[in-house]
Amino acid sequence: MTLFLGLALVFGLVFGGFMLSGGKMDIVLHALPFEGMMIGGAAIGAFVIANSFTVIKSALSGIVKVIKGSKWKTKDYQDLLNLMYELARIYKQKGILALDDHIEKPKESEIFKRYPKVLKDHFATDLITDSFRMLSMQFDDSFQTEEIINRKIKKHHHEAMASANAIQTMADGLPAIGIVAAVLGVIKTMSSIDQPPEVLGGMIGGALVGTFLGVFLAYCMVQPISGRLKQIEDEDAAFYHVIRDIFVAIVGNHAPNICIEIGRGNIPTRMQPDFYQVEASQKELAPL
């Protein structure tokens, strides 16, 4: 929701300051629809040319992410720790074969179904199940395991950042597009050079709205949206790093509660459950 607060501050203070200083909004409002159509049309058209439909769709979803904020909350991290604890406990006490039904059919697993938000995230579920599959194939080198999981996370993160990078590219181009619109306004003004000064002044002011609008949209709206989306993607990626850290600890043959504590220590601070919360939740889980 910080998006709406930021937009209110930007519009209120920029245009409020303009009017308080004696600026008149009539020229701006008169030119805004036409300049906005040129700048917005050129920016959106260039965005469509430069990106695949997958990235365009992802960018639209990214704007929704900016409104909602990070996907993973404190409760989700707690659920992840509980899920990984249950899986690690079964593996430690009963062996990898006891996990077959849960790993091969997570949507039918009673353990996974207790944590629906984690299960709904395809990458998180695949990361967990694929990692245990590697373990079932005797791939138990902790250093190589960490490297393989890191590559998967890096690939996923690179794909997730495509929308933010595309929005940033649009922001970079908007000031130049604003100049294009302003130049067209100057051309229109020069074709009416025989008009009185007050008319020419209004036309020049309208042309300058194009430059203003391009810079305003770039640095006060589009670029901040891109920056916030990058922050959110980085925050959400921490969820998968916790899965990696716990699984590497499992491969290292540590006790389940130690594996979970290693993962808990790498949860972002503001969403990190404390040690006693995790310990209490583990005690509440059904015994094997």
Side-chain angles (χ1 to χ4, degrees):
M1 299 304 291
T2 56
L3 173 65
F4 298 112
L5 174 61
L7 289 176
L9 289 171
V10 166
F11 279 92
L13 294 176
V14 169
F15 291 105
F18 174 70
M19 289 187 289
L20 288 174
S21 67
K24 297 180 180 180
M25 289 294 295
D26 53 343
I27 294 177
V28 176
L29 293 175
H30 174 75
L32 192 60
F34 311 107
E35 300 290 334
M37 182 173 67
M38 287 186 284
I39 295 170
I44 294 172
F47 184 81
V48 172
I49 293 170
N51 298 286
S52 66
F53 281 111
T54 300
V55 174
I56 294 170
K57 184 179 178 181
S58 178
L60 295 175
S61 300
I63 296 173
V64 176
K65 281 186 180 181
V66 171
I67 296 172
K68 292 183 175 180
S70 299
K71 177 179 181 178
W72 305 112
K73 313 300 180 185
T74 301
K75 182 183 181 303
D76 302 320
Y77 278 99
Q78 181 69 68
D79 287 347
L80 176 63
L81 296 180
N82 287 345
L83 168 61
M84 295 300 292
Y85 178 76
E86 291 198 69
L87 297 174
R89 183 176 58 168
I90 292 174
Y91 169 70
K92 188 72 173 178
Q93 297 184 13
K94 298 183 177 181
I96 192 65
L97 293 178
L99 287 173
D100 273 356
D101 291 339
H102 303 291
I103 299 307
E104 297 305 325
K105 299 178 181 179
K107 292 183 179 180
E108 299 176 13
S109 165
E110 291 301 321
I111 295 177
F112 277 93
K113 285 195 291 187
R114 283 198 283 270
Y115 311 103
K117 190 170 180 180
V118 180
L119 181 60
K120 188 177 179 181
D121 187 288
H122 297 297
F123 181 71
T125 303
D126 289 345
L127 192 63
I128 295 169
T129 56
D130 289 347
S131 298
F132 275 104
R133 285 192 190 99
M134 286 195 301
L135 198 56
S136 70
M137 293 184 286
Q138 307 302 314
F139 193 89
D140 55 1
D141 184 295
S142 59
F143 294 105
Q144 291 184 0
T145 297
E146 183 173 7
E147 176 63 21
I148 289 173
I149 296 175
N150 273 335
R151 288 179 183 178
K152 291 180 179 180
I153 294 174
K154 184 177 180 180
K155 173 189 172 185
H156 179 269
H157 191 58
H158 176 76
E159 293 171 351
M161 293 293 282
S163 57
N165 292 332
I167 294 172
Q168 179 60 51
T169 300
M170 177 190 282
D172 293 340
L174 272 168
I177 295 174
I179 293 173
V180 170
V183 169
L184 290 174
V186 172
I187 293 172
K188 185 182 77 170
T189 302
M190 295 305 293
S191 68
S192 304
I193 197 68
D194 58 338
Q195 298 296 316
E198 59 270 19
V199 174
L200 292 175
M203 295 179 72
I204 293 172
L208 292 175
V209 170
T211 303
F212 159 75
L213 192 59
V215 175
F216 178 79
L217 289 175
Y219 298 117
C220 296
M221 295 183 66
V222 181
Q223 190 177 72
I225 288 174
S226 172
R228 178 60 183 138
L229 183 55
K230 289 178 181 178
Q231 287 181 354
I232 291 172
E233 295 295 355
D234 286 337
E235 290 173 7
D236 287 347
F239 194 83
Y240 311 120
H241 293 157
V242 173
I243 295 174
R244 176 203 61 197
D245 295 337
I246 293 174
F247 189 78
V248 170
I250 292 172
V251 173
N253 205 32
H254 294 290
N257 59 333
I258 298 298
C259 298
I260 300 310
E261 178 56 22
I262 290 172
R264 187 192 73 83
N266 290 320
I267 294 174
T269 303
R270 67 184 183 87
M271 291 179 283
Q272 184 182 61
D274 64 41
F275 175 83
Y276 299 103
Q277 285 178 313
V278 174
E279 186 179 48
S281 66
Q282 290 174 357
K283 291 178 179 179
E284 293 173 0
L285 296 174
L288 292 177

